[in-house]
Amino acid sequence: RPLLSIRGVDKRYRTAKGATVQALEGIDLDIAEGEIVAVIGPSGCGKSTLLRMVAGLDDDYTGAVEWRRPPRPGKDIGFVFQEPALLPWRSVAGNVGLGLEGRKDLEGAEQRVAELLDLVGLGDFAKSYPKELSGGMRQRTAIVRALAYDPQILLMDEPFGALDAITRDRLHDDILRIWERTRKTIVFVTHSVEEAAYLADRVVVMSARPGRIRAVHRVPLHRD
Ligand code: ADP
Ligand code: ADP
């Protein structure tokens, strides 16, 4: 069974003037455990809406999003936005370990934060504050923060969109290293076909008005 099945999902938004916008129509998609899926398509085709529905950030839709194991509330879905939303008054380690400090096993939590930071080359920046980091470093922090609770899935909405090309390349390799280490299921939205082909096992191509899945391409494999 897939990790996640999206079945016949339709999504309409009501605008302030009372009109409706059909953002998604007839979305069917299975996500297998451990795969990396890219979602591409023109602006307004519903990519963010789809991700938010999977994340449970929006439950006002028809159709079904079915999980093999029900996600633990607040823990099983890691979400990364285009702009890393870090807390400025907490250190890098404090941001990644957010919520972990209440745990009984504090040492285990600290060790987990250290491992996550090492995974993206930020081990030396644990005590730094977000404003002391480059944009790429902040996004790497946001990505490992999303992994802190060992979620079933990592969802990322244009995670590299705000970064320059060199920083983006570095982040791509971080994502592949994270995948190699954790075999995490990853779904991300991008505008870049190149990025989709480089990172993903499958590429979901959407079209707009209403947002539909136009094609799903399997990328000839570059990973085991
Ligand atoms: P994408 O991420 O592919 O750019 P979105 O999911 O953001 O697309 O939006 C899909 C469609 O839904 C667009 O037509 C957009 O204008 C509309 N939409 C998104 N959010 C809202 C909202 N809160 N209210 C009304 N319409 C919305
Ligand atoms: P980006 O992810 O934006 O490309 P990098 O981590 O590649 O940033 O930054 C390049 C190098 O610059 C890093 O290896 C790091 O050593 C150094 N660096 C970046 N920001 C800082 C900072 N605030 N303090 C100290 N060194 C920094």
Side-chain angles (χ1 to χ4, degrees), residues 20-91:
T20 57
V21 177
Q22 179 136 19
L24 294 172
E25 185 178 77
I27 303 294
D28 287 306
L29 185 65
D30 285 343
I31 307 286
E33 183 151 27
E35 72 172 337
I36 304 183
V37 176
V39 182
I40 66 173
S43 190
C45 70
K47 303 182 294 297
S48 292
T49 300
L50 182 62
L51 224 57
R52 289 168 48 78
M53 286 177 15
V54 171
L57 295 170
D58 183 344
D59 60 3
D60 181 21
Y61 59 86
T62 59
V65 176
E66 291 164 358
W67 295 83
R68 187 168 65 198
R69 301 183 299 274
R72 296 168 294 164
K75 295 188 176 176
D76 253 335
I77 298 168
F79 204 95
V80 174
F81 299 90
Q82 181 166 344
E83 300 291 341
L86 302 177
L87 299 177
W89 59 85
R90 299 195 66 149
S91 67

Side-chain angles (χ1 to χ4, degrees), residues 85 144 149 155:
V144 291
Y149 287 111
L155 305 171

Side-chain angles (χ1 to χ4, degrees), residues 120-122 124-125 128-140 163-164 166-168 170-171 174:
V120 292
L122 289 176
D124 292 340
F125 295 91
S128 301
Y129 283 81
K131 68 173 185 325
E132 300 173 306
L133 306 182
S134 67
M137 295 165 93
R138 282 200 284 269
Q139 193 59 301
R140 276 143 58 198
L163 306 173
D164 64 78
I166 292 168
T167 304
R168 214 150 45 219
R170 152 99 221 225
L171 268 278
D174 282 303

